[in-house]
Amino acid sequence: MYSTNLTDSQWEGINKFFDIKRKRKYSLRAIINGILYIAKSGAQWALLPKDFPPHGIVHYYFMTWRKSGIWQTILLDYIKKFRIKHNQNSEPTVIVIDSQSIKNSERGVQDKGFDGHKRIKGRKRHVATDSNGRLISCIVGPANEHDLKAGMRLIDQVQELDLPNVKFIVADGAYCSLVAWAKKKYGIEIQISIQIKEKKFIPVAHRWKVERFISWMMWSRRLSRDYELNIESSEAWVLVCGIRNLLRFF
């Protein structure tokens, strides 16, 4: 029994998204446990412990569910459950966005670049959370991609989700060029938080929530560096991390 394994109540809540009626040699619960283990431990697929189904099977399902978009569907469902559980409207009206430049592995990585500001060669994750700091969506691109272009893609993606009540976005100065574009295209107000230049740490209203999620990502060793060949897998692992973060409340 690993600490990353789903509890009975968590499995009861999540199994509706999967075809559990069809007979399989390996249970879907065990396969998901294997994916969660990889996310937390950062182990290579081939080093997945023998307590789980064969790593090839677990990897196959991870890729299949990545392509089907099921991770995003599960994440949105648990976002709504979490908000209702905390006496909030199921639909968020405010989202917070921020980015994180992350080093990549050296071999076989596509879509990478150099972030001259952070001096990091790799990729950049752009994440959107609700006002609680719980992940809603994520896009990944090369580290040298301009925040304006990436921010547009992120907001477009959020708008494609079933979140009709989003009216406000909180962001830092890197996204200031999005203000007029978002207002014209979607009627969304973007509030740019002003950087406070002090020697001591001062949390900026709302912004600290998305930064907290970024720090949570680092608790998952699979996300401590970008090891993925393509950006779709990178995005999927961030979504898995967001789901794992919410599952502990149920």
Side-chain angles (χ1 to χ4, degrees):
M1 178 68 178
Y2 295 90
S3 61
T4 53
N5 284 6
L6 295 171
T7 64
D8 290 341
S9 62
Q10 290 170 349
W11 174 240
E12 285 297 318
I14 205 174
N15 65 21
K16 66 180 181 181
F17 297 100
F18 304 96
D19 179 16
I20 60 174
K21 295 181 179 179
R22 185 168 71 84
K23 291 184 178 180
R24 294 177 172 84
K25 182 176 181 179
Y26 302 102
S27 74
L28 292 183
R29 181 175 178 176
I31 291 169
I32 296 171
N33 285 339
I35 293 171
L36 295 177
Y37 177 87
I38 292 286
K40 180 64 175 178
S41 69
Q44 295 176 333
W45 285 107
L47 299 180
L48 188 67
K50 300 300 182 181
D51 306 287
F52 299 105
H55 68 88
I57 298 293
V58 179
H59 180 262
Y60 166 79
Y61 275 96
F62 172 78
M63 298 297 288
T64 299
W65 292 333
R66 186 205 78 185
K67 294 174 183 177
S68 71
I70 198 170
W71 300 122
Q72 182 71 77
T73 301
I74 295 172
L75 181 63
L76 288 179
D77 183 75
Y78 271 89
I79 279 282
K80 294 176 181 179
K81 287 180 179 178
F82 177 87
R83 293 178 62 84
I84 292 171
K85 186 174 182 178
H86 289 78
N87 300 316
Q88 298 173 321
N89 293 329
S90 62
E91 303 286 350
T93 57
V94 178
I95 66 172
V96 193
I97 64 175
D98 204 353
S99 64
Q100 176 201 36
S101 294
I102 192 79
K103 292 181 180 179
N104 59 263
S105 56
E106 294 301 320
R107 291 188 175 183
V109 176
Q110 305 165 358
D111 302 306
K112 59 184 178 181
F114 181 75
D115 182 345
H117 178 62
K118 299 290 181 65
R119 305 195 65 81
I120 290 177
K121 183 179 180 181
R123 290 176 175 155
K124 185 179 284 189
R125 300 166 179 154
H126 297 263
V127 298
T129 70
D130 71 349
S131 58
N132 300 307
R134 309 296 166 179
L135 181 69
I136 290 176
S137 187
C138 170
I139 64 165
V140 177
N144 61 343
E145 182 180 20
H146 196 283
D147 287 335
L148 172 61
K149 181 179 178 181
M152 287 178 175
R153 291 198 292 124
L154 180 61
I155 295 173
D156 283 339
Q157 182 167 289
V158 170
Q159 288 297 306
E160 292 173 1
L161 305 177
D162 186 21
L163 300 171
N165 296 335
V166 173
K167 301 298 180 186
F168 302 96
I169 296 175
V170 179
D172 66 8
Y175 297 99
C176 61
S177 301
L178 291 173
V179 175
W181 173 84
K183 181 66 175 177
K184 181 178 180 180
K185 186 171 183 179
Y186 295 116
I188 293 177
E189 299 283 349
I190 295 185
Q191 176 187 339
I192 302 297
S193 59
I194 301 174
Q195 184 177 8
I196 302 173
K197 295 184 178 180
E198 295 283 350
K199 292 184 178 180
K200 62 181 180 179
F201 172 75
I202 299 178
V204 179
H206 293 296
R207 275 275 313 288
W208 67 270
K209 297 174 183 177
V210 67
E211 290 169 352
R212 180 182 63 178
F213 177 76
I214 289 173
S215 72
W216 284 339
M217 285 197 294
M218 297 298 96
W219 295 358
S220 296
R221 287 199 172 187
R222 189 75 182 192
L223 296 177
S224 63
R225 181 184 286 259
D226 196 323
Y227 296 100
E228 309 311 313
L229 176 64
N230 53 64
I231 59 174
E232 290 80 13
S233 292
S234 296
E235 292 168 350
W237 281 117
V238 176
L239 297 179
V240 169
C241 174
I243 293 168
R244 214 178 142 267
N245 177 265
L246 287 164
L247 281 173
R248 62 194 182 91
F249 295 97
F250 297 90

